[in-house]
Amino acid sequence: MGCCGSAERTKREWKPLEDRSCTDLPWFLLFTLFLVGMCGICGFTIATGGAARLVFGYDSYGNTCGQRNEPIEGVRLSGLDHTDRKFVFFLDPCNIDIIQRKIKSMALCVSQCPTEELLTYYDLKRFAMMNGSELCSYELPGHKYPSLPERFDKCPKLPVPESKALPVFNRCTPVDISCYAKFAEAVVTFVSDNSMLNRLIAGVAASKEIIVGLCLLALVLSMILMVIIRYISAVLVWILTALVVLGSLGGTSVLWWLYIDYRMTMNETMTKDLTETEEPNGGMKPTKDHAQGLLIYAVSATVFTGILLLLMLFMRKRVALTIALFHVAGKVFIHLPLLALQPFCTFLALSLFWVYWIMVLLFLGTTGNPEKNEDTGLVEFRLSGALQYMTWYHAVGLIWISEFILACQQMTVAGAVVTYYFTRDKTKLPVTPILSSVLRLVRYHLGTVAKGSFIITLVKIPRLILMYIHNQLKGKENACARCMLKACICCLWCLEKCLNYLNQNAYAATAINSTSFCTSARDAFMILVENALRVATINTVGDFVLFLGKVLIVTCTAFAGVLALNYQRDYTEWVLPLIIVCLFAFLVAHCFLSIFEIVVDVLFLCFAIDTKYNNGTPGREFYMDKALMEFVENSRRSMAMEERGRSKRARPKEEVELTEVKAMAPGTSSA
């Protein structure tokens, strides 16, 4: 059936690690065609010269430096042979258009960048005669530079700064880049006032070894925490629970105390002369409004606290499940240590793709048909017609493929955790469960991952478009439009988060049953709905525990950084290195603990399936770990005690009724 088929379906029989087959093959073919299109864009930019123009550069007449060129119709000085002119030189390199992010100056192909500062036109002539590199427009002879009237428009602006060519892109860049500072006036003012920026940069340069060491420390702490969190999760969970309950009770009590105190003060004030207390603009109405506001806040806090206490009462047993899942997740990382490498692999894959994407985007910027700008007279390359949609196609590829890579990580982790959970004898685990999960993903489930990531892409693109519109209209739209835009962005963000969570569980269901994405998502959704309270507990308590873990890593790294940087007595010299280290520590902790969170979520889905379709009897034995088994046994024991208590309370009533029946019946002794 389709994704939302409404026909009757047979009851799902979960068969972990059995009946493996390809899933969502049409989506795999569609994703493959999309990748071919992405590669086609790259090939098009290379074939049409866009890549060459980006790497070797081109002048303002459409000629690519370092090669022969074909003439462009209607453009003079095009079609020149620039085989010996391999460098791009800008007549005014400091004339930058910040909005368009490009240099507005005329560009020429030269054989050598100026190696010294040239102050006069005679210096330009001498440089051209000695080095054979003419820095004025091609139609101007070098030996006549000082006397030509065109020199003011077609020669570089004096003085010409000393320049060096970039290693790969062959652009002549001024050695002294101070001319660019006018586009960062705030920074210039900041530096000129107290040289703070120079001192901060000097502190980073002097502490680079310590920064690297602290970053490695954050990495090690994150890996250690994933293993030991099962031992401290119980303490963290109950501390969190106590803080939430005490905080809500304390806040509610303070609000009621403020309300009562304010009412008493107001009553005392009302007994006095009203003429002395009333204000010229309306008497005591603000005081009553203030008291009414405090009453509303106090009542709301009371309702919230009551609901919270009821939730804590009903969910107290489910908190034990969260602790048990954390305990088992720590064991998973002991048996599957390669899980700790998943953040590195995902980061490497994303980095390589982003570098490729940016490179092709730059190629697209120099691809297209040459057009002469009527205002400046310079030649620019622009995509026109249907070709301009390649940029949008390329942008969609950024989102879809990035989400695809992240989904592959989720599917890989889910496959490895499923293998661990549904293997009763842990000594018989595959040698490399992670590698086995990757091979299953590549062989069977790439279509499922492509479909799930495409759904996220469909939600993310409208949200990004609305965010772009909101930024473009900032300060122009009215309050109602701004509120509606923000509400739409918020709703799409929430929908994206919900779909991400559902996708993650769908990948786990696919890893178990080898079913298609929609079937897996429907089955996983039904399991989650049946365990809604457990899901809420795990996603609130568990997420906060992981957040505390991130805070713990950042705090420990920052403390170590303070001790390591303490010998640099000037505070301003080590505050920036410490900030860099803390940001890196939080990023690393987030990456690693996100893997831990995925493991916990997959373990919960496996546990819910295990308890639904197995009961521990012969032939239907549990797959779960000993810690989860203890949780199940404790739950059964508490349920049995509750049943026994109810039966005891019902028994005296039954005995009374039986006695009354006997009293009403005729006696047998008289016979």
Side-chain angles (χ1 to χ4, degrees), residues 51-67:
R53 282 190 285 271
L54 176 67
V55 175
F56 301 114
Y58 62 96
D59 62 15
S60 297
Y61 306 105
N63 301 299
T64 302
C65 300
Q67 65 183 37

mmCIF file of all heavy atoms in Angstrom, residues 51-67:
data_model
loop_
_atom_site.group_PDB
_atom_site.id
_atom_site.type_symbol
_atom_site.label_atom_id
_atom_site.label_comp_id
_atom_site.label_asym_id
_atom_site.label_seq_id
_atom_site.Cartn_x
_atom_site.Cartn_y
_atom_site.Cartn_z
ATOM 1 N N ALA A 51 34.340 26.678 -14.539
ATOM 2 C CA ALA A 51 35.369 26.250 -13.593
ATOM 3 C C ALA A 51 36.709 26.890 -13.931
ATOM 4 O O ALA A 51 37.443 27.342 -13.047
ATOM 5 C CB ALA A 51 35.472 24.726 -13.609
ATOM 6 N N ALA A 52 37.044 26.940 -15.241
ATOM 7 C CA ALA A 52 38.316 27.543 -15.642
ATOM 8 C C ALA A 52 38.349 29.032 -15.312
ATOM 9 O O ALA A 52 39.369 29.562 -14.851
ATOM 10 C CB ALA A 52 38.534 27.323 -17.143
ATOM 11 N N ARG A 53 37.215 29.722 -15.541
ATOM 12 C CA ARG A 53 37.181 31.150 -15.227
ATOM 13 C C ARG A 53 37.316 31.397 -13.733
ATOM 14 O O ARG A 53 37.881 32.414 -13.313
ATOM 15 C CB ARG A 53 35.884 31.765 -15.756
ATOM 16 C CG ARG A 53 35.899 32.020 -17.255
ATOM 17 C CD ARG A 53 34.692 32.840 -17.682
ATOM 18 N NE ARG A 53 33.471 32.041 -17.684
ATOM 19 C CZ ARG A 53 33.037 31.339 -18.719
ATOM 20 N NH1 ARG A 53 33.739 31.338 -19.845
ATOM 21 N NH2 ARG A 53 31.921 30.643 -18.646
ATOM 22 N N LEU A 54 36.786 30.486 -12.902
ATOM 23 C CA LEU A 54 36.921 30.654 -11.460
ATOM 24 C C LEU A 54 38.356 30.417 -11.016
ATOM 25 O O LEU A 54 38.910 31.188 -10.227
ATOM 26 C CB LEU A 54 35.980 29.694 -10.727
ATOM 27 C CG LEU A 54 36.103 29.698 -9.207
ATOM 28 C CD1 LEU A 54 35.629 31.024 -8.635
ATOM 29 C CD2 LEU A 54 35.332 28.549 -8.578
ATOM 30 N N VAL A 55 38.974 29.354 -11.527
ATOM 31 C CA VAL A 55 40.319 28.995 -11.065
ATOM 32 C C VAL A 55 41.364 29.936 -11.653
ATOM 33 O O VAL A 55 42.199 30.498 -10.931
ATOM 34 C CB VAL A 55 40.628 27.532 -11.430
ATOM 35 C CG1 VAL A 55 42.064 27.181 -11.062
ATOM 36 C CG2 VAL A 55 39.658 26.595 -10.732
ATOM 37 N N PHE A 56 41.330 30.135 -12.980
ATOM 38 C CA PHE A 56 42.368 30.941 -13.634
ATOM 39 C C PHE A 56 42.025 32.424 -13.656
ATOM 40 O O PHE A 56 42.908 33.260 -13.822
ATOM 41 C CB PHE A 56 42.585 30.448 -15.068
ATOM 42 C CG PHE A 56 43.003 29.009 -15.146
ATOM 43 C CD1 PHE A 56 42.178 28.063 -15.720
ATOM 44 C CD2 PHE A 56 44.216 28.596 -14.634
ATOM 45 C CE1 PHE A 56 42.557 26.733 -15.788
ATOM 46 C CE2 PHE A 56 44.609 27.270 -14.696
ATOM 47 C CZ PHE A 56 43.775 26.331 -15.269
ATOM 48 N N GLY A 57 40.751 32.748 -13.509
ATOM 49 C CA GLY A 57 40.336 34.139 -13.534
ATOM 50 C C GLY A 57 40.082 34.638 -14.946
ATOM 51 O O GLY A 57 40.520 34.037 -15.926
ATOM 52 N N TYR A 58 39.359 35.744 -15.049
ATOM 53 C CA TYR A 58 39.081 36.338 -16.353
ATOM 54 C C TYR A 58 39.061 37.849 -16.207
ATOM 55 O O TYR A 58 38.838 38.398 -15.124
ATOM 56 C CB TYR A 58 37.760 35.818 -16.927
ATOM 57 C CG TYR A 58 36.534 36.142 -16.122
ATOM 58 C CD1 TYR A 58 35.740 37.243 -16.439
ATOM 59 C CD2 TYR A 58 36.150 35.360 -15.041
ATOM 60 C CE1 TYR A 58 34.608 37.553 -15.709
ATOM 61 C CE2 TYR A 58 35.017 35.663 -14.294
ATOM 62 C CZ TYR A 58 34.259 36.762 -14.634
ATOM 63 O OH TYR A 58 33.144 37.069 -13.903
ATOM 64 N N ASP A 59 39.316 38.529 -17.341
ATOM 65 C CA ASP A 59 39.380 39.981 -17.314
ATOM 66 C C ASP A 59 38.005 40.580 -17.586
ATOM 67 O O ASP A 59 37.015 39.859 -17.760
ATOM 68 C CB ASP A 59 40.432 40.497 -18.295
ATOM 69 C CG ASP A 59 40.111 40.118 -19.740
ATOM 70 O OD1 ASP A 59 38.964 39.715 -20.018
ATOM 71 O OD2 ASP A 59 41.011 40.212 -20.591
ATOM 72 N N SER A 60 37.969 41.880 -17.646
ATOM 73 C CA SER A 60 36.694 42.570 -17.824
ATOM 74 C C SER A 60 36.175 42.523 -19.249
ATOM 75 O O SER A 60 35.098 43.068 -19.530
ATOM 76 C CB SER A 60 36.844 44.038 -17.391
ATOM 77 O OG SER A 60 37.162 44.107 -16.019
ATOM 78 N N TYR A 61 36.912 41.883 -20.157
ATOM 79 C CA TYR A 61 36.475 41.739 -21.542
ATOM 80 C C TYR A 61 36.063 40.297 -21.849
ATOM 81 O O TYR A 61 35.860 39.962 -23.012
ATOM 82 C CB TYR A 61 37.590 42.189 -22.493
ATOM 83 C CG TYR A 61 38.082 43.588 -22.206
ATOM 84 C CD1 TYR A 61 39.308 43.794 -21.577
ATOM 85 C CD2 TYR A 61 37.317 44.695 -22.540
ATOM 86 C CE1 TYR A 61 39.759 45.081 -21.301
ATOM 87 C CE2 TYR A 61 37.756 45.988 -22.269
ATOM 88 C CZ TYR A 61 38.978 46.166 -21.645
ATOM 89 O OH TYR A 61 39.412 47.445 -21.365
ATOM 90 N N GLY A 62 35.975 39.467 -20.836
ATOM 91 C CA GLY A 62 35.532 38.093 -21.028
ATOM 92 C C GLY A 62 36.624 37.128 -21.396
ATOM 93 O O GLY A 62 36.325 35.968 -21.731
ATOM 94 N N ASN A 63 37.887 37.515 -21.344
ATOM 95 C CA ASN A 63 38.999 36.627 -21.670
ATOM 96 C C ASN A 63 39.455 35.873 -20.428
ATOM 97 O O ASN A 63 39.646 36.484 -19.365
ATOM 98 C CB ASN A 63 40.185 37.422 -22.233
ATOM 99 C CG ASN A 63 39.822 38.200 -23.480
ATOM 100 O OD1 ASN A 63 39.421 37.626 -24.491
ATOM 101 N ND2 ASN A 63 39.947 39.533 -23.409
ATOM 102 N N THR A 64 39.630 34.571 -20.556
ATOM 103 C CA THR A 64 40.153 33.769 -19.457
ATOM 104 C C THR A 64 41.668 33.850 -19.460
ATOM 105 O O THR A 64 42.309 33.678 -20.506
ATOM 106 C CB THR A 64 39.710 32.306 -19.589
ATOM 107 O OG1 THR A 64 38.282 32.254 -19.628
ATOM 108 C CG2 THR A 64 40.203 31.482 -18.410
ATOM 109 N N CYS A 65 42.249 34.109 -18.312
ATOM 110 C CA CYS A 65 43.696 34.260 -18.214
ATOM 111 C C CYS A 65 44.381 32.908 -18.370
ATOM 112 O O CYS A 65 43.861 31.874 -17.941
ATOM 113 C CB CYS A 65 44.072 34.890 -16.877
ATOM 114 S SG CYS A 65 43.368 36.529 -16.604
ATOM 115 N N GLY A 66 45.571 32.943 -18.984
ATOM 116 C CA GLY A 66 46.377 31.740 -19.121
ATOM 117 C C GLY A 66 46.013 30.846 -20.283
ATOM 118 O O GLY A 66 46.518 29.727 -20.353
ATOM 119 N N GLN A 67 45.154 31.300 -21.204
ATOM 120 C CA GLN A 67 44.778 30.455 -22.337
ATOM 121 C C GLN A 67 44.299 31.321 -23.505
ATOM 122 O O GLN A 67 44.062 32.514 -23.368
ATOM 123 C CB GLN A 67 43.676 29.474 -21.937
ATOM 124 C CG GLN A 67 42.350 30.125 -21.572
ATOM 125 C CD GLN A 67 41.305 29.121 -21.120
ATOM 126 O OE1 GLN A 67 41.630 28.162 -20.453
ATOM 127 N NE2 GLN A 67 40.057 29.364 -21.475
#
